[in-house]
């Protein structure tokens, strides 16, 4: 069992380190809204990973590999979500009242909003589901029930994600003085919004 878990840890760790949508959301939350918002986003992301892990373990995610229609619907929903979220960030950055106090935006999102944003970003990403469905069976410990094995491997991915995102959040904390500047935070919103729109368009035009 240990060999299977360690093997999955290596694969999931490499996936975690690759910059993507999750990284952009966490960095943006940490820089513009503070540590609490960043960790709420991280917890949402991790909850999404656990959901996909369970789905893959019980076979639900197999629908994405077996049904082109299901994959396309989820893909388009995810692309639309990212594009809308990116546009909202850019529009928000253009508002003259979007100033900061103590490193936190005056119109800060609630903890629940940050959590939901991280969760939906993962749940609406079919590529994560396909990844879990393709990779988990390769590392499922034979001496565990499928659901237990799926939860165990998903937890490994969650722990790695928590460690990596904590490092990113800590890193932004070292640059807090510079990052607290209103103009810097507005540009961060613009850049993050542009990144999300770019990812959304990429997801929209991609194929299974």
């Amino acid at each position: 069992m240990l060999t299977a878990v360690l093997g999955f840890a290596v694969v999931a760790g490499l996936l975690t380190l690759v910059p993507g949508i999750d990284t952009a959301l966490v960095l943006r939350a940490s820089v513009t809204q503070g540590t609490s918002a960043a960790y709420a986003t991280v917890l949402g992301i991790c909850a999404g990973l656990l959901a996909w892990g369970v789905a893959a373990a019980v076979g639900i995610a197999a629908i994405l590999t077996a049904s082109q229609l299901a994959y396309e619907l989820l893909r388009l929903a995810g692309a639309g979500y990212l594009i809308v979220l990116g546009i909202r960030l850019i529009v928000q950055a253009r508002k003259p009242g979007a100033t900061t106090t103590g490193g936190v935006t005056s119109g800060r999102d609630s903890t629940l909003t940050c959590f939901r944003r991280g969760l939906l970003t993962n749940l609406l990403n079919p590529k994560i589901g396909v990844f879990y469905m393709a990779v988990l069976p390769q590392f499922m410990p034979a001496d565990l029930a499928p659901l237990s094995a799926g939860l165990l491997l998903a937890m490994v991915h969650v722990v790695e994600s928590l460690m990596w995102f904590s490092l990113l959040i800590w890193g932004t904390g070292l640059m807090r003085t510079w990052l607290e500047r209103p103009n810097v935070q507005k540009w961060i919103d613009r850049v993050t919004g542009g990144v999300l729109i770019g990812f959304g368009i990429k997801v929209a035009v991609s194929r299974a």
Side-chain angles (χ1 to χ4, degrees):
M1 182 175 74
L2 181 59
T3 301
V5 172
L6 289 177
F8 179 78
V10 172
V11 176
L14 292 174
L15 177 66
T16 302
L17 293 176
V18 175
I21 303 168
D22 293 346
T23 302
L25 287 178
V26 172
L27 285 177
R28 185 263 171 184
S30 179
V31 170
T32 64
Q33 305 211 36
T35 301
S36 297
Y39 273 110
T41 305
V42 171
L43 290 178
I45 291 169
C46 291
L49 294 177
L50 280 176
W52 276 120
V54 172
V58 300
I60 296 175
I63 297 174
L64 294 178
T65 58
S67 172
Q68 181 71 17
L69 177 60
Y71 182 91
E72 291 298 323
L73 289 175
L74 188 58
R75 178 176 64 83
L76 292 176
Y81 175 75
L82 291 176
I83 292 172
V84 170
L85 180 57
I87 292 173
R88 288 180 60 187
L89 289 179
I90 293 175
V91 171
Q92 175 179 300
R94 293 175 62 87
K95 293 180 179 179
T99 56
T100 61
T101 303
V104 178
T105 54
S106 57
R108 67 176 299 175
D109 298 324
S110 67
T111 300
L112 179 60
T113 297
C114 294
F115 175 87
R116 185 172 61 246
R117 184 175 295 155
L119 176 64
L120 288 177
T121 299
N122 271 264
L123 292 182
L124 292 176
N125 189 346
K127 293 185 178 180
I128 296 180
V130 172
F131 166 80
Y132 266 80
M133 197 61 201
V135 173
L136 248 65
Q138 320 274 345
F139 298 97
M140 295 279 266
D143 51 345
L144 288 179
L147 180 57
S148 299
L151 280 172
L152 173 62
L153 295 180
M155 281 302 302
V156 169
H157 196 181
V158 165
V159 170
E160 291 179 331
S161 297
L162 285 171
M163 293 173 62
W164 172 240
F165 288 133
S166 292
L167 182 61
L168 292 180
I169 294 170
W170 174 76
T172 58
L174 296 179
M175 303 173 63
R176 180 67 62 190
T177 301
W178 180 72
L179 295 173
E180 282 179 347
R181 299 176 182 177
N183 287 336
V184 172
Q185 297 204 355
K186 287 183 179 182
W187 273 107
I188 289 172
D189 272 353
R190 293 188 184 108
V191 171
T192 304
V195 169
L196 293 179
I197 291 172
F199 273 116
I201 294 173
K202 181 180 178 181
V203 171
V205 300
S206 66
R207 290 293 178 265

